[in-house]
Amino acid sequence: MQDDELKRILQEEEILPSSGFTASVMDAVRREAQAPAPIPFPWARALPGMVVAGLTLVAVLVFSAVQLTGDAATTPVPPGWTASVDSISQTAMRMGAPWAILALVVSLASMKFAKVFSGR
């Protein structure tokens, strides 16, 4: 449809809402205005847990990097902690962590691929 056709169609007839439309819209607006406010997210309670999780992730990554590079002498890591990280990493390997990580990476890549081609 061209702009000229659309203008002609809109100028020919006056468009009126159906009976009761305005009243139903106003009723919905009034109900929405009277509804209680949504419950806010408890950031004060969630933030400490997110900070601890982030610090734990950084610590595990640092200790894993130290273990992989074998530079324990140059990095100030307590000796007991490297043994714990080694135990955790060996358990993760036995439980199939590499396959789970691969599945997560493939899922993330397919989501990004779909977003790029969908135009968002």
Side-chain angles (χ1 to χ4, degrees), residues 31-42:
R31 276 194 312 270
E32 192 67 30
Q34 291 175 351
I39 299 172
F41 187 79

Side-chain angles (χ1 to χ4, degrees), residues 91-103:
T91 303
M93 293 297 274
R94 281 195 309 266
M95 298 295 282
W99 290 109
I101 292 170
L102 178 65

Side-chain angles (χ1 to χ4, degrees), residues 64-111:
S64 297
V66 167
Q67 184 179 4
L68 290 175
T69 60
D71 259 351
T74 60
T75 307
V77 177
W81 289 14
T82 55
S84 298
V85 170
D86 184 39
S87 172
I88 291 170
S89 64
Q90 287 179 5
T91 303
M93 293 297 274
R94 281 195 309 266
M95 298 295 282
W99 290 109
I101 292 170
L102 178 65
L104 289 172
V105 168
V106 168
S107 298
L108 180 65
S110 65
M111 281 178 28

Side-chain angles (χ1 to χ4, degrees), residues 3-65:
D3 288 338
D4 296 334
E5 292 178 51
L6 185 59
K7 286 179 185 177
R8 182 183 53 80
I9 292 170
L10 290 175
Q11 288 175 352
E12 284 180 5
E13 296 180 22
E14 185 178 347
I15 300 175
L16 298 174
S18 61
S19 63
F21 175 75
T22 306
S24 67
V25 169
M26 289 309 295
D27 287 341
V29 168
R30 286 186 195 100
R31 276 194 312 270
E32 192 67 30
Q34 291 175 351
I39 299 172
F41 187 79
W43 287 107
R45 290 184 178 187
L47 193 58
M50 289 189 287
V51 168
V52 168
L55 291 174
T56 303
L57 178 64
V58 168
V60 167
L61 291 175
V62 167
F63 296 146
S64 297

